[in-house]
Amino acid sequence: MKHTIWTTIIFVMLFCGAFGLTVFSQTPPSPHFDYTISGCEGYQTHLPEVVRTPDNTRSSRPMASNLIQNLEIHSDSQAFSFSHGLTYVCCADFELSSDIDQEEKVITVVERNVGEYCRCICNYTVTGEFADLPTGNYELRVYLQEKNVEQLQFLFNQNITVNN
């Protein structure tokens, strides 16, 4: 009798496996972020004017409106991409990070200089792509973070719609 029960159990397991009767729970793919940054395009020795701040210290940090050019946003089914020119020091080395607040529908990108700071200016092209996003309206917020500085500098924000 034991032999028959085990034979039946093995037969049922083989039958279910052979005919795909196993039930799997499918979870949607997690959103992910990829980016690329061009090398220095158009080296310049010209630096922005030095501005005196109220406490009489010098600051050569250009305003965000002077840093960004040619902003482009493309959106399609479950994904969107952005691209922009960035005028910044020529010895910079960038890393981008992202955070997606699903509840608030806010996507934050930080373009962080982990390289050096030098006295020349270059143009970079920054491109980022988010894939496998759930349907909805999002606000994209992009910031620049200079090396060894905790404060983020606002670059731009854009409303994005992702449709399935």
Side-chain angles (χ1 to χ4, degrees), residues 58-74:
R58 292 169 44 117
S59 171
S60 61
R61 185 180 301 169
M63 299 300 294
S65 61
N66 296 334
L67 297 174
I68 299 293
Q69 314 87 35
N70 306 323
L71 175 62
E72 293 182 20
I73 307 283
H74 300 282

Side-chain angles (χ1 to χ4, degrees), residues 122-141:
C122 282
N123 297 313
Y124 300 89
T125 300
V126 179
T127 303
E129 179 178 278
F130 287 88
D132 299 323
L133 289 167
T135 298
N137 296 318
Y138 296 87
E139 180 183 1
L140 171 65
R141 298 176 185 167

Side-chain angles (χ1 to χ4, degrees), residues 11-13 19 25 39 48 50 67 80 84 88 90 94 122 144:
F11 174 77
V12 170
M13 289 173 52
F19 291 100
S25 152
V50 174
L67 297 174
F80 79 88
H84 67 84
Y88 198 70
C90 57
F94 291 99
C122 282
L144 174 68

